[in-house]
Amino acid sequence: MPLPLYLLAMAVFAMGTSEFMLAGLLPGIASDLDVSVGTASVLTSAFAIGMMVGAPLVAALARNWPSRSSLLGFVLAFAAAHAVGAITTSFPVLVATRVVAALANAGFLAVALTAAATLVPADKKGRALAVLLSGTTVATVAGVPGGSVLGTVFGWRATFWAVAALCLPAALGILKGSPAGRGKDDATGGPALRAELASLARPRLIVVMLLGALVNAATFGSFTFLAPVVTDTAGLSELWISVVLVLFGAGSFVGVTVAGRLSDRRPGLVVAVGGPLLFVGWPALAELADKPVALCTLVFVQGVLSFALGSTLITRVLYEAAEAPTMVGSYATAALNFGAAAGPALAATTLSTEFGDLGPLWMSGLLVAVALLIAFPLRTVVAAGRSAEVLQ
């Protein structure tokens, strides 16, 4: 894999740390800003909505900008939003900074996903996506738990400052290592924006985007509320939150690595095996969450399955939208973050029910069940090999 791809992954690491870190910081933020944990979860949804809406809009705006300048600008804007978030005492202002950060993240990922696909041969998109997403999985292994420890010891604001600082070496890496041009299609002008947007009418693309969104909704729905499960249901100390997040992150790294090997050639195998196991895993976690050993084991397994299945479906988005070279990254980003916005919002509604802290886990199981019900009659869409898109 080319060096610029790893430099992009370093920036994704900083952004992934921010996107996932709230799972361990929500209780502290809620207490400091005098809101409930459920209300504080709006920060996660606001970030995801900003990315979902912002990805296609920012990608359309930046489609003819030089890639390096675009990526650098987005990273610096992301850092500035976190600096403001670290000093504010207003919850609405903090929400606003998350939206701004989300727009910057959306723009970055939209450009980066497109750039990643152009840096490798046409049949290696899954591998390229795995490298790029490794920034996110390393964030869940190291950045997010580290941020949780930092937040526990020094307060949640210290974690926001740390994310802002992480953006600086990422920006330097982009400046030194990313191509200065605009992309592979710029010399010939590439397809018109209207033509690229027209690809959204393709049923195959809609299906894989919907499935990716549902799986990601399940992932974020439970991940966002893991902290109270660890401390209240399992009865562990706050420092164990970091341990559980590390386990989920380690699982996600394994899942993305496996998907990177299989999603180009055997996507149907990943979906057929991973889908049912993921569905069973969330209710199992809800039933066994009061047993620390089972909790830790299942969190790791669910990390593997969630990211293996999710990244495989997003790879299918890259293939199905191959006719939209400058917008395909935004389609994948929008699908991921539609799920990331809907998941915590749906999961939060279960907290006040008889399920309590375990409600999000049951909701995740329901979301995966819906995905499986959609995928089964349309399994030939998600099981298509890498050559299928040339026939569409």
Side-chain angles (χ1 to χ4, degrees), residues 7-33:
L7 296 173
L8 293 177
M10 182 170 63
V12 172
F13 167 74
M15 295 182 175
T17 297
S18 174
E19 186 171 7
F20 283 93
M21 70 183 181
L22 291 183
L25 301 180
L26 283 183
I29 292 174
S31 176
D32 188 24
L33 300 183

Side-chain angles (χ1 to χ4, degrees), residues 21-30 147-148 150-152 155-157 159-160 227:
M21 70 183 181
L22 291 183
L25 301 180
L26 283 183
I29 292 174
S148 180
L150 192 63
T152 299
W156 64 270
R157 297 179 189 277
T159 305
F160 274 67

Side-chain angles (χ1 to χ4, degrees), residues 129-260:
L129 180 63
V131 171
L132 194 64
L133 289 181
S134 69
T136 298
T137 58
V138 171
T140 60
V141 173
V144 175
S148 180
V149 172
L150 192 63
T152 299
V153 176
F154 297 104
W156 64 270
R157 297 179 189 277
T159 305
F160 274 67
W161 281 117
V163 170
L166 277 174
C167 291
L168 301 182
L172 181 62
I174 291 169
L175 185 63
K176 295 295 185 181
S178 295
R182 293 199 297 257
K184 67 178 182 179
D185 294 305
D186 289 343
T188 60
L193 178 60
R194 179 174 296 182
E196 294 200 45
L197 293 175
S199 65
L200 286 172
R202 299 181 65 225
R204 293 174 66 96
L205 176 58
I206 293 173
V207 168
V208 292
M209 288 178 66
L210 177 59
L211 294 176
L214 285 167
V215 170
N216 210 42
T219 302
F220 269 82
S222 286
F223 186 85
T224 301
F225 297 102
L226 271 181
V229 173
V230 173
T231 56
D232 298 341
T233 303
L236 300 172
S237 69
E238 288 189 359
L239 288 178
W240 273 92
I241 295 173
S242 299
V243 175
V244 171
L245 294 179
V246 166
L247 288 171
F248 186 88
S252 68
F253 182 80
V254 173
V256 166
T257 301
V258 170

Side-chain angles (χ1 to χ4, degrees), residues 13-94:
F13 167 74
M15 295 182 175
T17 297
S18 174
E19 186 171 7
F20 283 93
M21 70 183 181
L22 291 183
L25 301 180
L26 283 183
I29 292 174
S31 176
D32 188 24
L33 300 183
D34 196 25
V35 297
S36 68
V37 173
T39 299
S41 70
V42 169
L43 294 169
T44 299
S45 295
F47 191 92
I49 290 171
M51 290 192 67
M52 177 183 67
V53 175
L57 294 178
V58 177
L61 180 64
R63 67 194 298 266
N64 292 320
W65 295 354
S67 297
R68 185 168 65 188
S69 298
S70 299
L71 294 169
L72 182 61
F74 291 137
V75 168
L76 294 178
F78 190 82
H82 281 77
V84 174
I87 62 177
T88 186
T89 59
S90 167
F91 183 72
V93 171
L94 184 59

Side-chain angles (χ1 to χ4, degrees), residues 231-326:
T231 56
D232 298 341
T233 303
L236 300 172
S237 69
E238 288 189 359
L239 288 178
W240 273 92
I241 295 173
S242 299
V243 175
V244 171
L245 294 179
V246 166
L247 288 171
F248 186 88
S252 68
F253 182 80
V254 173
V256 166
T257 301
V258 170
R261 301 290 179 180
L262 296 176
S263 59
D264 288 313
R265 298 177 180 273
R266 303 291 300 277
L269 176 64
V270 178
V271 175
V273 175
L277 290 176
L278 185 63
F279 164 63
V280 172
W282 289 124
L285 183 55
E287 288 291 327
L288 300 172
D290 60 336
K291 300 175 175 60
V293 174
L295 171 67
C296 293
T297 301
L298 285 170
V299 162
F300 174 81
V301 171
Q302 292 302 94
V304 174
L305 296 171
S306 294
F307 275 76
L309 189 58
S311 62
T312 295
L313 292 169
I314 294 306
T315 298
R316 296 311 311 163
V317 173
L318 298 182
Y319 279 121
E320 296 297 339
E323 297 174 355
T326 69

